[in-house]
Each structure stands twice: as C-alpha cells, then as structure tokens.
Amino acid sequence: MELTKLEAWLKEKGEPHFRVKQIREAFYKKFVPGFDAITALPAPLRGELARRFRPLSLEPEQVLVSAAGDAVKASFRLKDGEVIESVLLSLAAEKWTVCVSTQVGCGVRCPFCATGRKGLKRNLSPEEITDQVLFWGQYLAKEGPGRRVGGVVFMGMGEPFMNYNAVSEALKKLSDPDYFGIGQRHISVSTAGHAQGILRFAREFPQVNLAVSLHTVDEEVRDKLVPMNKLYPLRKLARAMEEYLRATRRQIFIEYALMEGLNAEEKNARQLYEWIKTVAPLKYFTINLIAYNETGGKYRAPAREKVKAFADFLEMLGASVTIRKSLGNDIRGACGQLASANLKGKK
Ligand code: SAH
Ligand code: SF4
C-alpha cells in the first residue's frame, strides 16, 4: 500500500500523527483485511479511508490451492490490466514462504520457462512487489491465528536484477521491523546470472541469500538455455560469484533444473563440480537440484532415479546437495510455470 500518499492526506486533514502508525501496524503486523477492521480509528475516518484508498495495489483475481494443500497460487490484476502471479508455499509444517514476481513477464527469455516465453512487458514497482506479501499475510491471518509469512523468495516471474531498484526498495520494506520485519536471512533472491547485479547485491544486501540459476556450465548450451549468458558469460559470472563470496562471507545457492538430454548425465554433474571448484571451495555452495517442471515446451524431466543419481554423484564428490520438492505442479505454481492468465490459452 502507498502509505506516503495516505500520510499526506491524513496530515492535510489535520489528523494526529499517530494515525499513520496505527494504520501501518494494523496492516503490517495484524494483517487486517481493510480499513473497516481498524477499530482503533474513529468510524467516520475508517469509512473515508476505505472510500479513498486501497490497501493493495493489485487486485486478486484467482486463488488456487494445490491438492496437497502445500501451495497456493494467486493471480493478480494490476492497475494497467497486466496480470502477475505469486505463490504461497508451505516448506515445513506451518512455515510459510512467499514466492514473489518482480516483473510482468521476463526479458531473459529462457526457453524452458513459461514466464520467459512471453518476453518482458514491464517492471513491477516496489509496492507491487511487497503487496504480494501483504496479500498473503492477509490470507494467512484469515486462515487462522498465529499463521504468518516467515520467508520470501524472489523466484516468481521476472529477473530481479533487471529491476534492481524496485527489488532493493522491496527488500528494505520486507526486512524493516516497522513493516514486515522478515529477517534478511529468511529472504532469497534468485538471478539468472546477472553479474553486475550480483556485485551490487553483495555490497547492499550481504545478509539476503543469493541463488544463481546455473543449469549448465557448458557455454554453448547456456547461451541457449539462459540467453543472458551472452551478456554475462560463465567467466564473468564466476568472477562475480567469487567477489560476492569474498565480500559477504556467505554461501551461494546454485539452482540447477535437470532436463533430459541436456544437462542430466553423470558427466554434467562432474563438469558442474569442476566448474564450481574454479570459483571457490565447495563448502561455499549448496546445489539445489530441481527436476524440470512441465511448461508445454520440448523439454522433459529425467526419471526420478536419474535425479537421485545426479545428486548422489555430487554428494560423493563432497558437495552439499538438495533435491527441491516441486510444490504446486497441479496448479501450475511450480518453478518456471508462472505466466499471466491471458497467456494460458497459448501454453
Ligand atoms: N529469473 C530468476 C528468478 C525466477 S525463476 C531466475 O531465473 O533465477 C526461479 C527458478 O525457476 C530459476 O532457477 C529458474 O531457472 C527455474 N525454472 C524456470 N523454469 C523452470 C522449469 N520449467 N522447471 C524447473 N525450474 C524452472
Ligand atoms: Fe526469466 Fe528466470 Fe524464467 Fe529465465 S528462468 S525467463 S530469467 S524468470
């Protein structure tokens, strides 16, 4: 929500300054559904606020719950009619993580990703990013007491570092104790390998987790899979990752989506291991493997045993590996499946 506009309006009306704090706390701490629910405010003021201001800059259109109940996907209509999606994930019992979008579509255009297929429409504003989290906060508050968003991952539609300024504003608001108050270590940003963004991020947000979507260490294959590789080839990416580790003393999460016939063989695992070692010692990385999620293209996920074998092989070499659970496949809410509703017919 746009609190600055609201603040100016309250001031003009001569309302006492503490009103802003009351409203902020009602929305960001109690996650009230609307102004009407802020009982601390005088009734006429509540009514006027409700008529003049919208708590959310996006309009929820559809909310789908996965069969297992561990993923919920919402599509939102923005003020200019564009549509984005956001997902609420339950990674462990009662631990809720929100996956946010940062752009309408994505200009990187990875051919295996549903978001990339439509290209970039526009950047989201900081408010449009944080309002996705506000929406899920309200959703959880309605579901039951004590339920709240514990983490945020920037892994929805869009390449976060191609919209760096808005992402930076959103990160500040998410971790601000006066707003969402989510610890920076519970927030992760995933990039397709924007080397320049990684360097800036290292300086400005050393506590926020960084994930790099690598998928392959073969330059030619990566040029096709992640076209941004032409701008930031593996050598440049490696240097940025090295610098990130030096500056932050953190770990990097490497995302690796396994696709049959492309990057899922034992030799690919060995190449990945060799490449990582040229960047920094193995202990600085966690490799998140994810079996490709269906998006209607020509790519296929390898058999489950093959994913396991890929993981085992890397572990045998001493790497720390996780096989990412794919949540929300049945609601097309899994990684890479997010695309605006008006695209659905084309998938
Ligand atoms: N643009 C950023 C963040 C959003 S994508 C990035 O690419 O990192 C979030 C993750 O989902 C990325 O690791 C991306 O490579 C992965 N992904 C995209 N399409 C996928 C698919 N069809 N199956 C599995 N993972 C996919
Ligand atoms: Fe964009 Fe990430 Fe999808 Fe590539 S995988 S098209 S960078 S959202």
Side-chain angles (χ1 to χ4, degrees):
M1 72 183 299
E2 282 179 49
L3 264 181
T4 36
K5 267 194 199 159
L6 192 143
E7 198 172 346
W9 181 81
L10 286 171
K11 203 169 166 192
E12 208 173 293
K13 253 183 84 71
E15 287 289 336
H17 191 66
F18 61 79
R19 293 278 181 242
V20 181
K21 189 168 174 226
Q22 283 178 319
I23 294 168
R24 193 182 60 222
E25 285 184 347
F27 280 107
Y28 293 95
K29 300 293 168 210
K30 300 204 190 90
F31 295 100
V32 296
F35 294 100
D36 294 336
I38 314 178
T39 44
L41 300 177
L45 180 61
R46 264 183 265 161
E48 209 172 339
L49 282 166
R51 277 192 300 279
R52 277 173 186 270
F53 295 96
R54 294 209 167 172
L56 294 176
S57 58
L58 23 81
E59 192 78 46
E61 281 224 312
Q62 196 184 24
V63 177
L64 293 172
V65 183
S66 72
D70 50 8
V72 192
K73 179 172 87 167
S75 56
F76 302 98
R77 190 163 290 275
L78 308 177
K79 282 188 184 128
D80 58 359
E82 296 291 353
V83 176
I84 57 158
E85 295 182 334
S86 173
V87 186
L88 179 71
L89 299 160
S90 168
L91 300 174
E94 291 302 308
K95 282 215 162 176
W96 296 94
T97 295
V98 171
C99 175
V100 292
S101 293
T102 55
Q103 298 181 308
V104 183
C106 181
V108 181
R109 307 200 80 136
C110 305
F112 57 89
C113 166
T115 306
R117 243 176 266 149
K118 72 182 275 194
L120 177 68
K121 282 281 188 69
R122 73 166 170 87
N123 281 333
L124 295 186
S125 67
E127 195 196 6
E128 286 167 336
I129 298 172
T130 52
D131 278 354
Q132 296 168 54
V133 184
L134 189 53
F135 169 81
W136 289 119
Q138 294 174 332
Y139 178 90
L140 286 174
K142 231 180 314 176
E143 291 281 295
R147 297 193 173 185
R148 48 188 308 130
V149 177
V152 177
V153 295
F154 286 65
M155 294 190 183
M157 301 163 71
E159 162 53 39
F161 291 162
M162 301 273 250
N163 185 15
Y164 191 98
N165 290 339
V167 166
S168 158
E169 284 298 302
L171 286 170
K172 285 178 196 154
K173 201 158 181 186
L174 289 174
S175 51
D176 187 338
D178 282 344
Y179 287 86
F180 294 93
I182 298 170
Q184 296 207 344
R185 289 187 176 234
H186 297 284
I187 305 176
S188 306
V189 174
S190 174
T191 175
H194 194 293
Q196 212 188 327
I198 292 173
L199 295 176
R200 194 169 161 198
F201 188 68
R203 285 195 304 276
E204 295 173 8
F205 297 99
Q207 299 298 320
V208 177
N209 302 305
L210 174 70
V212 175
S213 302
L214 197 58
H215 307 315
T216 173
V217 293
D218 180 311
E219 200 86 73
E220 253 174 69
V221 178
R222 198 162 195 276
D223 276 348
K224 293 205 181 72
L225 275 187
V226 186
M228 196 164 55
N229 196 61
K230 296 199 189 99
L231 192 62
Y232 298 113
L234 285 162
R235 190 175 21 86
K236 271 198 187 164
L237 178 57
R239 234 182 280 142
M241 287 164 71
E242 230 179 289
E243 181 53 35
Y244 174 89
L245 291 171
R246 205 176 6 248
T248 63
R249 313 238 150 236
R250 304 280 320 276
Q251 260 215 339
I252 293 179
F253 296 88
I254 290 182
E255 311 284 298
Y256 194 103
L258 288 156
M259 293 171 245
E260 185 58 49
L262 263 179
N263 64 1
E265 306 302 319
E266 189 179 294
K267 72 166 196 288
N268 303 117
R270 180 170 287 283
Q271 285 163 351
L272 172 63
Y273 164 77
E274 297 293 343
W275 186 84
I276 288 175
K277 276 202 313 177
T278 67
V279 181
L282 221 47
K283 64 174 184 194
Y284 290 105
F285 301 92
T286 293
I287 304 168
N288 290 326
L289 298 176
I290 174 158
Y292 165 76
N293 289 312
E294 194 51 55
T295 61
K298 61 177 177 185
Y299 302 97
R300 295 284 167 268
R304 192 191 292 254
E305 307 80 62
K306 215 160 154 182
V307 176
K308 179 81 172 52
F310 197 96
D312 288 347
F313 185 75
L314 285 168
E315 268 177 352
M316 194 247 315
L317 294 171
S320 125
V321 187
T322 66
I323 300 177
R324 191 116 57 81
K325 251 202 306 180
S326 182
L327 305 178
N329 232 308
D330 55 335
I331 51 170
R332 303 197 77 75
C335 287
Q337 293 184 320
L338 301 189
S340 68
N342 49 26
L343 200 81
K344 272 191 184 130
K346 293 188 206 152
K347 270 197 283 194

